[in-house]
Amino acid sequence: DTISVAQTQANTYDAVPYESNPYSNSNPGYLNAVATLFGMNPPKLDNAKILELGCASGGNILPIAIRYPNAKCVGVDLSKVQIDFALQQVKDLGIKNMDFKCMSITDISASLGKFDYIVCHGVLSWVPENVRDAIFKACGELLTPNGLAYISYNTLPGWNTVKTIRDMMLYHSSMFEHPAEKVQQSRLLLDFVKDSVQQENNPYAEILKRESAILSQQPDYYLFHDHLEENNHAYYFRDFMEQAAKHSLQYVGDCSVSSMFLGNMPAAVTEKLQVVNDIVRTEQYMDFLNNRRFRMSILSRAGAQINRNLTPESIKGLYLNMKVVPAKPMAEVKLEDLTDQAQFFYQGNKDTAISTTSPVMKAVLYTFAENWNHPLSFDEIVKQVQKKLPKAKADEVTQELGINAMRMILSGHIAISDAPKFTNVLSKKPTVSEVVRYQAANMPTLWVTNEMHERIGINILEKYLLRYMDGKHSAEDLTAKMLEHVESGELNISKEGAELKDKAAVKTEMTMAVTQTLEKLKSCAILVA
């Protein structure tokens, strides 16, 4: 994360490369699921054409190309340094369906072809006006009739809060030339701000405390590009949509579906906003009330059919996932007893308990708990519920699941997705994707991209272990490989703060560590076989 002092080049992303990450909400599979929820018929992923604008070194689009080998993926970025690195990864991995182009977004034309999915994350707010116009133009001209575009951007009024800190950092760092100096001085300023308001208790001081504390924890590249760049344009949602409409684009929805649901607002607010009957105006009012600062909007070509009257039928073709942990094992709960209440903790957090006495919903929640982080089709959930409740009729389960699942999607408790391409079963020779093995073996960072397109942190042992998970090694083989690294001095095993030297003790601890790691990889959606 540290920036070395170097002469600033014309392209600051060459001088200070931005760490290239996966962004789960920009995953075309997720965009497909949201559009399907709203009654659209988005292009299938298996042979889709996917374009990323501002792709950096491919951290977002490369895993997508590997996940969908019959899709055609293109990444565009102005930074030659990052595109060269992306092309090297393509060569190393032998990827045939991925192309990277070093070019300006303003130079994109129809010659690039049509695309089913266009992704633009972390670019729109941070480029000059002519590039912003080019982003909308590219989406309007290059999208296929049922295609989807994803654009993220800073949003008003919430960004006004952060803008104050940005203005302070810009003012102070303007006296320094090099990126490293600018970042160093900005960090000193953040410390100064925190110290200055430490004893204050007024609302403005609380804002400064919170924002300066958050920014102090961010890496150098984030501070430099997200807060110290010349361009940082925040949109009111109405203005963003006005610009989109000029290029014949319409609003499908937000990647945070729950943020669109009026029922999550206070009753008095819901009552007044329900009469507005204009999705853009309604969401603009909600942004004002929620002080929203960031959006991830999904757009389609104007005229594409959208159904905002969501019903249980809307989710029948989706895959559902809810991270819950039961308070008691299922064996200790009387599923069919209407007086026996079962309790579950959302994401394992005991402060967010969910309780039910409904036999069907108890069975549904236990089904989700058994399939932690592994999306299931609607029909598969019904099937697993019927196994738990042999007397339950399929139509009764379908009806109750449909009503409650829709409610929990809109409340943000259930996540939707396309069909998973990973497993939650630990095989004899556990396998991870080639991109995970590549990241573990070649990247200096301690994270990998899982099959839900999320960034998952790993430790040093996991970084070594993942390299060998190619479907050719059993758990015993993997343990032996790790012991070889201990023998060579690359890894060491410690217990209670002391390094173990006894070979038998080392083997015992390593066997346990490998077993625990495989369980983690299974629960983190990293295993593909």
Side-chain angles (χ1 to χ4, degrees), residues 1-6 12-19 178-185 187 216-225 444-445:
D1 293 342
T2 302
I3 300 172
S4 60
V5 176
T12 57
Y13 287 87
D14 277 345
V16 185
Y18 200 103
E19 185 170 289
H178 298 298
E181 294 172 318
K182 287 179 176 292
V183 171
Q184 180 187 30
Q185 291 300 320
R187 290 196 182 283
S216 294
Q217 301 302 312
Q218 300 304 316
D220 288 354
Y221 66 81
Y222 176 88
L223 286 183
F224 184 71
H225 290 299
T445 48

Side-chain angles (χ1 to χ4, degrees), residues 58-73:
N60 195 42
I61 197 168
L62 261 174
I64 293 169
I66 290 175
R67 192 167 300 122
Y68 304 104
N70 294 321
K72 174 62 179 175
C73 298

Side-chain angles (χ1 to χ4, degrees), residues 53-198:
L53 305 175
C55 63
S57 58
N60 195 42
I61 197 168
L62 261 174
I64 293 169
I66 290 175
R67 192 167 300 122
Y68 304 104
N70 294 321
K72 174 62 179 175
C73 298
V74 177
V76 171
D77 202 281
L78 187 60
S79 169
K80 186 176 185 302
V81 169
Q82 299 206 79
I83 288 295
D84 285 347
F85 183 49
L87 288 170
Q88 184 61 51
Q89 293 176 78
V90 168
K91 182 179 178 182
D92 292 344
L93 286 162
I95 303 173
K96 305 299 183 185
N97 65 328
M98 181 78 244
D99 189 20
F100 287 101
K101 297 181 182 295
C102 184
M103 63 186 297
S104 171
I105 294 172
T106 59
D107 293 331
I108 288 177
S109 67
S111 64
L112 205 58
K114 297 285 187 180
F115 292 90
D116 300 308
Y117 295 89
I118 298 177
V119 171
C120 187
H121 182 87
V123 180
L124 186 70
S125 284
W126 297 271
V127 290
E129 183 177 3
N130 66 317
V131 184
R132 297 199 296 270
D133 290 341
I135 290 170
F136 285 107
K137 181 173 180 285
C139 293
E141 292 183 354
L142 304 187
L143 268 186
T144 55
N146 290 321
L148 300 170
Y150 161 102
I151 304 177
S152 69
Y153 50 100
N154 286 336
T155 311
L156 295 170
W159 183 253
N160 285 327
T161 303
V162 189
K163 186 176 182 299
T164 300
I165 298 281
R166 165 178 152 80
D167 288 344
M168 288 184 189
M169 292 165 63
L170 283 174
Y171 178 72
H172 182 64
S173 65
S174 64
M175 297 181 289
F176 302 91
E177 178 182 358
H178 298 298
E181 294 172 318
K182 287 179 176 292
V183 171
Q184 180 187 30
Q185 291 300 320
S186 294
R187 290 196 182 283
L188 291 174
L189 175 74
L190 291 172
D191 290 339
F192 171 74
V193 170
K194 285 188 290 184
D195 292 342
S196 299
V197 297
Q198 198 62 44

Side-chain angles (χ1 to χ4, degrees), residues 242-409:
E242 182 180 334
Q243 186 73 4
K246 290 178 182 176
H247 294 274
S248 300
L249 297 166
Q250 67 179 356
Y251 182 61
V252 175
D254 194 87
C255 284
S256 173
V257 174
S258 61
S259 71
M260 303 174 64
F261 182 45
L262 278 176
N264 292 330
M265 302 288 286
V269 174
T270 299
E271 184 180 346
K272 292 187 182 301
L273 290 183
Q274 279 177 334
V275 302
V276 173
N277 199 30
D278 180 321
I279 186 67
V280 172
R281 289 180 61 82
T282 298
E283 293 216 22
Q284 181 59 77
Y285 283 125
M286 291 170 75
D287 281 5
F288 282 134
L289 295 172
N290 292 324
N291 199 34
R292 189 162 180 168
R293 67 166 69 175
F294 190 71
R295 271 185 172 270
M296 297 168 285
S297 295
I298 304 172
L299 306 174
S300 70
R301 294 180 66 135
Q305 292 299 306
I306 298 173
N307 180 12
R308 301 196 186 280
N309 181 28
L310 301 184
T311 68
E313 288 294 319
S314 305
I315 62 177
K316 292 288 182 68
L318 300 175
Y319 284 73
L320 310 179
N321 171 39
M322 185 177 183
K323 297 179 181 178
V324 287
V325 175
K328 294 179 181 179
M330 190 171 68
E332 297 179 15
V333 174
K334 298 174 183 176
L335 291 182
E336 297 182 355
D337 188 344
L338 288 167
T339 64
D340 191 6
Q341 179 174 278
Q343 189 176 55
F344 300 81
F345 303 117
Y346 180 62
Q347 294 188 335
N349 184 351
K350 293 190 176 181
D351 292 329
T352 55
I354 300 168
S355 301
T356 182
T357 57
S358 160
V360 168
M361 287 314 297
K362 281 187 278 189
V364 165
L365 291 169
Y366 273 110
T367 297
F368 280 131
E370 292 165 359
N371 293 275
W372 174 277
N373 213 27
H374 191 265
L376 299 173
S377 70
F378 191 96
D379 290 343
E380 179 60 30
I381 297 172
V382 172
K383 190 183 300 182
Q384 292 199 28
V385 168
Q386 285 190 284
K387 285 183 180 179
K388 295 176 174 63
L389 296 170
K391 296 179 182 178
K393 296 180 180 178
D395 57 345
E396 294 174 353
V397 175
T398 296
Q399 183 178 14
E400 189 166 352
L401 171 61
I403 292 170
N404 285 285
M406 177 58 74
R407 178 173 55 81
M408 289 189 284
I409 288 170

Side-chain angles (χ1 to χ4, degrees), residues 5 22 59 154-155 227 233 362 411 455 524:
V5 176
N154 286 336
T155 311
H227 292 274
H233 181 79
K362 281 187 278 189
S411 68
R455 173 174 148 161
C524 289

